[in-house]
Amino acid sequence: MLKSHAKYNLGQVVRHKKHPFRGVVFDIDPEFSNTEEWYDAIPEGSRPSRAQPFYHLLAENDQTYYVAYVSEQNLVPDNTGEPVDHPDLPELFGDFQDGRYPLEYQLN
């Protein structure tokens, strides 16, 4: 049985260690759960271990907004105190406060 503990939380703002983007965590997989094609597209020397949490982010960079899927080893907390401007944030989260986004959604 896999036992995993996620380092980051829903609504937390994080930054990629190597690439210039940041985002808000909106889902967490306890281990890699994407396609083999996606994994194989990562250069072999840079491929992260599958046996770690992977985070779904509402991400932004200087040019655009998108959804990113990132291994825990490639993330660090974003300590800028600045909000993320991703247009899909209001669908899942409340207003930015105290450096994070509170989860705010309605169940049917």
Side-chain angles (χ1 to χ4, degrees):
M1 179 177 185
L2 174 71
K3 290 190 178 186
S4 180
H5 178 73
K7 186 176 184 179
Y8 304 108
N9 302 303
L10 298 179
Q12 186 170 357
V13 181
V14 293
R15 177 177 301 281
H16 197 283
K17 284 182 178 178
K18 300 176 185 174
H19 302 291
F21 72 86
R22 56 199 289 265
V24 178
V25 176
F26 73 91
D27 195 11
I28 306 166
D29 294 334
E31 64 180 4
F32 178 78
S33 186
N34 206 334
T35 65
E36 288 305 308
E37 292 80 14
W38 184 93
Y39 192 76
D40 291 342
I42 300 169
E44 193 170 339
S46 299
R47 282 186 199 145
S49 166
R50 296 169 184 259
Q52 65 179 310
F54 276 73
Y55 298 82
H56 300 261
L57 308 176
L58 294 175
E60 68 179 14
N61 62 25
D62 289 342
Q63 290 84 36
T64 191
Y65 304 106
Y66 54 99
V67 172
Y69 190 66
V70 185
S71 64
E72 186 169 89
Q73 75 185 52
N74 284 318
L75 292 174
V76 294
D78 180 272
N79 297 319
T80 64
E82 295 293 321
V84 173
D85 294 323
H86 196 289
D88 294 338
L89 280 167
E91 293 178 30
L92 297 172
F93 298 100
D95 293 336
F96 185 71
Q97 48 186 279
D98 300 323
R100 62 179 300 109
Y101 288 88
L103 195 56
E104 226 174 70
Y105 62 94
Q106 291 185 348
L107 298 174
N108 291 334

